[in-house]
Amino acid sequence: MSSSPKTPGEGHTEPAGNPDLTSTIHLSSLRSVRNQRNIEEIFRTMSAEEREIVAQLPKNSAMLLVLAGANKGARFLINGNSTSIGRDPQSEIFLDDVTVSRKHAEVLRDGDNYVIVDLGSLNGTYLNSQPSNRERLVVGDEVQIGKYRLTYFSGKGNS
């Protein structure tokens, strides 16, 4: 008894509708959910002095704090319309390491908020461990530029 090869679909019945029907979802237009750290956890890791400084930030200003790693304890006040970040000694936030581009990123005022903008840096700018070209900053965000990890605070009542 020989069996002849079956053609696709031959020899079985399919329920109404096509079970093999697939759809394409275009994810490029969706934004990922921020992997934002818990602000209470962040405050627990800070010294009393750092908590006091953040609590006294004036409205419409912000600060990037280095809470761990290279330059731990460094504080960078942001209160202008544009703050440059890079390895160039003329940068307002000077980060002296080869992992940082000369003109790496900038923080721009956008109404009552600030945004971080990568300036085409070699190693990129990361926000909460995700690559970012331009993103609005939220209290507790971690900005990574080269080997530096800076935590963002704003003068809008963080305590």
Side-chain angles (χ1 to χ4, degrees), residues 51-65:
R51 285 191 301 270
E52 182 66 24
I53 289 168
V54 166
Q56 293 183 14
L57 275 172
K59 186 172 168 66
N60 296 323
S61 68
M63 182 173 283
L64 288 170
L65 240 80

Side-chain angles (χ1 to χ4, degrees), residues 40-93:
E40 288 81 20
E41 287 177 29
I42 295 168
F43 274 99
R44 277 194 294 274
T45 66
M46 296 167 64
S47 69
E49 178 186 12
E50 289 169 331
R51 285 191 301 270
E52 182 66 24
I53 289 168
V54 166
Q56 293 183 14
L57 275 172
K59 186 172 168 66
N60 296 323
S61 68
M63 182 173 283
L64 288 170
L65 240 80
V66 182
L67 297 177
N71 275 14
K72 183 179 186 314
R75 301 183 293 256
F76 303 101
L77 182 64
I78 300 167
N79 59 3
N81 290 327
S82 174
T83 303
S84 60
I85 304 172
R87 192 169 35 109
D88 185 332
Q90 301 301 312
S91 296
E92 292 158 282
I93 298 177

Side-chain angles (χ1 to χ4, degrees), residues 85-86 99-106 117-126 132-133 144-146:
I85 304 172
T99 60
V100 179
S101 295
R102 290 185 193 282
K103 296 184 186 309
H104 197 105
E106 65 183 337
V117 179
D118 184 83
L119 299 176
S121 64
L122 181 62
N123 292 321
T125 299
Y126 291 79
S132 177
N133 289 322
Q144 182 177 350
I145 294 178

